[in-house]
Amino acid sequence: MLQVSHVTKKYGKVLACDDVSFHLDPGSVTVLLGPNGAGKSTIMKSVIGFLRYEGEIKVGGYDNKTSEARRILGYIPELPSLYPNLTVSEHMEFLARAYRLSNYKPRIQELFRRFELTEHTKKFGDELSKGMQQKLNICLGLLPQPGLLLLDEPMIGLDPHAIKELKATMEEMRQEGRTLLVSTHIIDSVDMLWDRTIIMQNGSIRANITKDELEKDGRSLEELFFAVTEGLEPEKDEPREDGEA
Ligand code: ADP
């Protein structure tokens, strides 16, 4: 569903992503973990087509900048960018028309109910609290029901109810065969949800492992994270001292 091949991105002299390659299977949830500055947002923004980069990114077999790929792709950015002069309802209406969705009104009501925005639909973008802005940001990303949804630090600023609803929604999307890529620096925020974890540090992938592989390895995600990010794990392709691959 997503194929990222040899993606390198520099901001001036800063190497934000260094030859990053990975792929995501359809109907899976992948967590992109890494400390602040690891390059997670840069990869997300490259996939969505916001940045120029070296390398190749394919979505559903199409180059990510084609209209075919854009029809499959959805994105929930880390920071909401709302229109101060549109109400909550108008934001959703605007997005539905932009995507030419049909029969979207019941789905909007359902999203408002789940994320507790029903009482706030007439508020303008600049009248919303930070948490409400983030909830609307999430509802906007969920409305088109994309085949591949990228969520950049989606739990930040959400209250426990919204976190629970978001996790439930993600699980439903997986069961519907949709593919999710979730970036976060908070390991606990994703707990049982994921099928694959990719750990980034300093612009490179330091681990790429399925939940089954990690369970066989006998380690928790937190143990793996600290092992690879705090230098306790052998580098990829580097032989261990005992000579095993
Ligand atoms: P993460 O999302 O994992 O926190 P980012 O992808 O945001 O990491 O950042 C990766 C690196 O690129 C960091 O060193 C960051 O300072 C740098 N960076 C990100 N965006 C910019 C930018 N617009 N201009 C310059 N440097 C940037």
Side-chain angles (χ1 to χ4, degrees), residues 183-236:
S183 92
T184 183
H185 65 283
I186 305 170
I187 302 171
D188 290 351
S189 68
V190 286
D191 49 33
M192 301 311 288
L193 262 178
W194 58 281
D195 301 302
R196 176 179 292 280
T197 288
I198 297 173
I199 301 179
M200 285 188 78
Q201 188 181 31
N202 297 333
S204 297
I205 293 183
R206 301 293 319 278
N208 183 342
I209 191 166
T210 65
K211 187 178 256 178
D212 289 347
E213 287 165 350
L214 187 64
E215 272 166 16
K216 279 192 197 124
D217 203 31
R219 281 190 288 188
S220 69
L221 185 51
E222 192 174 22
E223 284 165 340
L224 175 70
F225 180 83
F226 287 119
V228 298
T229 57
E230 298 193 350
L232 307 171
E233 189 82 348
E235 289 281 346
K236 245 195 309 178

Side-chain angles (χ1 to χ4, degrees), residues 138-155:
I138 286 169
C139 290
L140 289 165
L142 295 175
L143 181 60
Q145 297 182 289
L148 170 62
L149 180 62
L150 276 55
L151 304 96
D152 197 352
E153 301 280 3
M155 312 291 180

Side-chain angles (χ1 to χ4, degrees), residues 88-100:
V88 168
S89 285
E90 286 165 351
H91 275 90
M92 297 291 270
E93 188 74 26
F94 181 73
L95 189 103
R97 290 187 195 186
Y99 276 80
R100 298 182 184 184

Side-chain angles (χ1 to χ4, degrees), residues 11 14-16 34-43 45 78 152-153:
Y11 298 102
V14 178
L15 184 58
N36 292 322
K40 304 180 299 293
S41 288
T42 301
I43 277 293
K45 287 179 193 160
E78 182 178 4
D152 197 352
E153 301 280 3

Side-chain angles (χ1 to χ4, degrees), residues 54-73:
E54 291 166 39
E56 188 179 70
I57 300 177
K58 294 210 165 195
V59 176
Y62 303 104
D63 185 275
N64 66 329
K65 296 198 174 140
T66 60
S67 54
E68 287 88 348
R70 282 170 199 271
R71 272 197 280 276
I72 300 171
L73 261 171

Side-chain angles (χ1 to χ4, degrees), residues 142-181:
L142 295 175
L143 181 60
Q145 297 182 289
L148 170 62
L149 180 62
L150 276 55
L151 304 96
D152 197 352
E153 301 280 3
M155 312 291 180
I156 303 283
L158 290 184
D159 56 32
H161 177 89
I163 290 175
K164 189 171 115 239
E165 285 297 344
L166 181 58
K167 287 182 178 177
T169 307
M170 288 165 64
E171 181 57 38
E172 285 164 23
M173 290 180 75
R174 171 167 52 183
Q175 282 173 17
E176 288 163 3
R178 302 178 202 280
T179 309
L180 304 179
L181 179 62

